[in-house]
């Protein structure tokens, strides 16, 4: 209800809103957050029904930046699809490439050189750190804290330098190949990578101490946007989002690929399932991944030999189908590859973490206030290109 003054100076009341479908107008209002909005991590639209400041219903609407990657895979050969694969989740490019080549290698029954396997793992963990640092900086920014993003990007640049040196790319690395890696790493690179890891590990408390126990940050995140373990499982959520709700699942430990079965992979979990728990899981995973990357680099230094397999000029996967899945930074990514013996996939279906994670918003958002909506949205850790693949 709003007060309005007439020409005669009398005050009258006017009901505003779209109503719930009766003859009289109600107080509900339909509001669109996005598709272009600073807090939506890309072109996502949230169709909200509001009662004042409280969310009554929420519908995530996707598809605004549909990339058509799955269809484009069908007309690209097995070298070219890597270009498409590393772009749907642009913060996890190396891991995306890795899943595709693992699927092709599995279908071809190909054995990858051991040195390539351990280098892949080291680079995948560094990519995980880069992904998490982006969210650790941007999430506080979305709810009003600007300083953490400067610390997060300082650490990102340190890791980016060694990733760029080894691959030539800052975001889209294009370093995986069917059968191994593009080329041998530069001389002395593992030492420089280890120094970068040590530097980031030493400086991470600057970011950690600034935000983890910050009173304002706690007030905005503790008890907000609680996702139960049962709901996380029902929606197919995975990665940090699911582990913050108590789902103790990590493919690196539970369904190991590459050589993760030779490592003791620490799985970071929480049980609260709220925004703060999701942030803490992401923060603690950075420390765990830095340690894993260090261990992988130690193994690389003890190994000699090639980092790729000699392939024919035109790679053709045999007729058949296979499914490979990886523990990507944002959760479980699956790659269902169907081949008819040609140089291009007949079908390559992506199961992306962001697509599953964002579905939970329909359950999480009703009942919350609009300011909390932004805190919840940012804590679900998704990339819209990963949804609209």
């Amino acid at each position: 209800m709003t007060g309005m003054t007439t020409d005669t100076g009398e005050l009258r009341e006017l009901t505003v809103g779209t109503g719930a479908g009766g003859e009289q107008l109600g107080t509900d209002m339909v509001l669109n957050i996005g598709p272009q909005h600073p807090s939506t991590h890309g072109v996502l639209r949230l169709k909200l029904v509001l009662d004042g400041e409280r969310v009554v219903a929420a519908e995530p609407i996707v598809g605004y930046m549909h990339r058509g990657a799955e269809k484009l895979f069908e007309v690209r050969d097995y070298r070219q699809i890597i270009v498409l694969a590393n772009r749907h989740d642009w913060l996890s490019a190396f891991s995306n490439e890795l899943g595709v080549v693992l699927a092709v290698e599995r279908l071809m029954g190909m054995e990858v050189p051991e040195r390539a396997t351990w280098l892949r793992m080291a680079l995948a963990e560094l990519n995980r750190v880069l992904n998490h640092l982006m969210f650790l900086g941007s999430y506080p920014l979305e709810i009003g804290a600007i300083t953490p993003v400067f610390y997060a990007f300082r650490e990102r640049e340190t890791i980016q330098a060694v990733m760029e040196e080894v691959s030539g790319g800052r975001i889209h690395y294009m370093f995986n190949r069917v059968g191994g890696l593009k080329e041998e790493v530069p001389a002395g690179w593992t030492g420089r990578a280890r120094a970068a890891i040590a530097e980031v590990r030493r400086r991470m408390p600057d970011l950690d101490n600034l935000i983890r126990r910050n009173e304002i940050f706690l007030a905005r995140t503790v008890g907000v946007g609680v996702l139960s373990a049962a709901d996380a499982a029902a929606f197919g959520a995975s990665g940090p989002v699911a582990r913050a709700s108590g789902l103790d699942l990590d493919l690196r430990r539970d369904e190991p690929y590459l050589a993760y079965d030779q490592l003791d992979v620490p799985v970071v979990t929480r049980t609260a399932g709220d925004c703060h728990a999701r942030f803490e899981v992401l923060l603690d995973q950075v420390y765990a991944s830095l340690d894993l990357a260090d261990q992988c680099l130690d193994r690389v230094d003890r190994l000699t030999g090639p980092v790729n397999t000699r392939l024919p000029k035109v790679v053709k996967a045999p007729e058949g189908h296979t499914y490979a899945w990886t523990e990507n930074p944002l959760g479980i990514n699956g790659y269902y590859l169907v081949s008819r013996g040609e140089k291009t996939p007949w079908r390559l279906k992506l199961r992306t973490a962001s697509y599953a994670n964002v579905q939970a918003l329909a359950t999480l958002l009703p009942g919350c206030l609009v300011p909390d909506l932004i805190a919840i949205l940012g804590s679900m850790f998704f990339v819209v290109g990963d949804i609209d693949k």
Side-chain angles (χ1 to χ4, degrees):
M1 307 290 282
T2 60
M4 296 186 65
T5 306
T6 63
D7 293 338
T8 58
E10 297 174 356
L11 190 70
R12 67 184 181 87
E13 290 184 330
L14 175 69
T15 304
V16 296
T18 57
E23 287 187 8
Q24 292 184 337
L25 287 172
T27 56
D28 290 349
M29 178 175 70
V30 176
L31 178 70
N32 286 290
I33 300 285
Q36 297 282 8
H37 191 277
S39 298
T40 55
H41 292 212
V43 194
L44 174 74
R45 175 183 168 207
L46 285 175
K47 185 179 178 183
L48 306 173
V49 178
L50 301 179
D51 179 4
E53 279 280 284
R54 195 165 296 280
V55 177
V56 177
E59 180 188 0
I61 301 173
V62 302
Y64 285 94
M65 63 172 298
H66 184 51
R67 307 178 69 84
E70 291 182 356
K71 201 66 187 168
L72 291 171
F73 287 149
E74 298 170 16
V75 290
R76 302 289 191 278
D77 67 34
Y78 288 109
R79 295 167 299 114
Q80 295 168 325
I81 61 174
I82 299 170
V83 178
L84 296 168
N86 72 19
R87 281 164 167 75
H88 56 86
D89 173 3
W90 45 82
L91 296 179
S92 311
F94 187 88
S95 302
N96 296 340
E97 300 170 12
L98 183 59
V100 168
V101 297
L102 285 175
V104 179
E105 288 161 3
R106 181 172 294 179
L107 194 56
M108 295 177 72
M110 184 180 293
E111 195 73 34
V112 174
E114 192 179 6
R115 183 172 168 82
T117 297
W118 285 96
L119 272 169
R120 279 176 170 179
M121 290 164 62
L123 291 165
E125 293 306 319
L126 290 175
N127 191 198
R128 193 182 310 275
V129 171
L130 285 172
N131 174 291
H132 290 1
L133 283 169
M134 174 63 82
F135 286 106
L136 291 172
S138 68
Y139 180 50
L141 185 66
E142 285 162 7
I143 53 178
I146 192 171
T147 311
V149 76
F150 300 128
Y151 287 104
F153 266 77
R154 179 185 67 180
E155 311 316 329
R156 268 180 62 86
E157 284 303 312
T158 304
I159 301 292
Q160 284 282 30
V162 294
M163 294 292 280
E164 185 175 4
E165 181 190 358
V166 77
S167 67
R170 284 178 58 82
I171 302 294
H172 304 301
Y173 305 106
M174 275 302 293
F175 199 58
N176 279 287
R177 295 291 186 274
V178 175
L181 296 171
K182 176 188 170 189
E183 60 196 5
E184 182 55 83
V185 297
W189 177 83
T190 54
R192 290 188 289 277
R194 209 177 277 107
I197 290 168
E199 192 172 357
V200 171
R201 188 187 287 114
R202 179 177 58 81
R203 296 189 311 207
M204 272 302 292
D206 292 345
L207 176 62
D208 196 328
N209 297 334
L210 182 70
I211 198 73
R212 190 195 294 253
R213 293 286 169 255
N214 180 282
E215 287 184 19
I216 301 171
F217 187 71
L218 289 170
R220 294 295 307 274
T221 57
V222 172
V224 175
V226 176
L227 178 67
S228 68
D231 282 343
F235 283 110
S238 58
V241 169
R243 290 196 288 271
S245 296
L247 289 185
D248 188 6
L249 173 65
D250 192 310
L251 293 184
R252 295 171 298 170
R253 180 198 63 192
D254 303 327
E255 293 278 345
Y257 53 98
L258 296 174
Y260 278 112
D261 56 338
Q262 298 181 42
L263 293 177
D264 182 15
V265 179
V267 179
V268 181
T269 59
R270 293 289 185 277
T271 54
D274 58 11
C275 294
H276 194 263
R278 290 189 280 273
F279 183 85
E280 275 199 317
V281 167
L282 216 62
L283 189 55
D284 290 337
Q285 181 63 60
V286 169
Y287 296 108
S289 289
L290 289 171
D291 291 343
L292 287 173
D294 247 347
Q295 294 174 48
C296 293
L297 290 170
D298 288 342
R299 288 293 293 266
V300 169
D301 282 343
R302 297 202 298 268
L303 293 167
T304 56
V307 295
N308 47 39
T309 307
R310 190 171 180 83
L311 295 172
K313 190 171 183 179
V314 177
V315 176
K316 292 185 179 181
E319 189 168 345
H321 60 95
T322 190
Y323 183 75
W325 57 353
T326 59
E327 186 68 42
N328 265 39
L330 294 182
I332 294 173
N333 270 28
Y335 306 83
Y336 179 56
L337 173 63
V338 183
S339 171
R340 293 197 168 170
E342 302 296 330
K343 66 178 182 179
T344 63
W346 185 77
R347 183 81 168 91
L348 179 54
K349 174 76 175 79
L350 297 175
R351 185 268 185 218
T352 59
S354 297
Y355 189 78
N357 290 350
V358 81
Q359 294 178 85
L361 290 172
T363 295
L364 283 182
L365 296 180
C368 78
L369 298 173
V370 172
D372 288 338
L373 176 153
I374 302 303
I376 296 167
L377 189 63
S379 75
M380 291 306 285
F381 309 132
F382 57 85
V383 171
V384 176
D386 207 33
I387 301 166
D388 292 345
K389 75 272 181 197

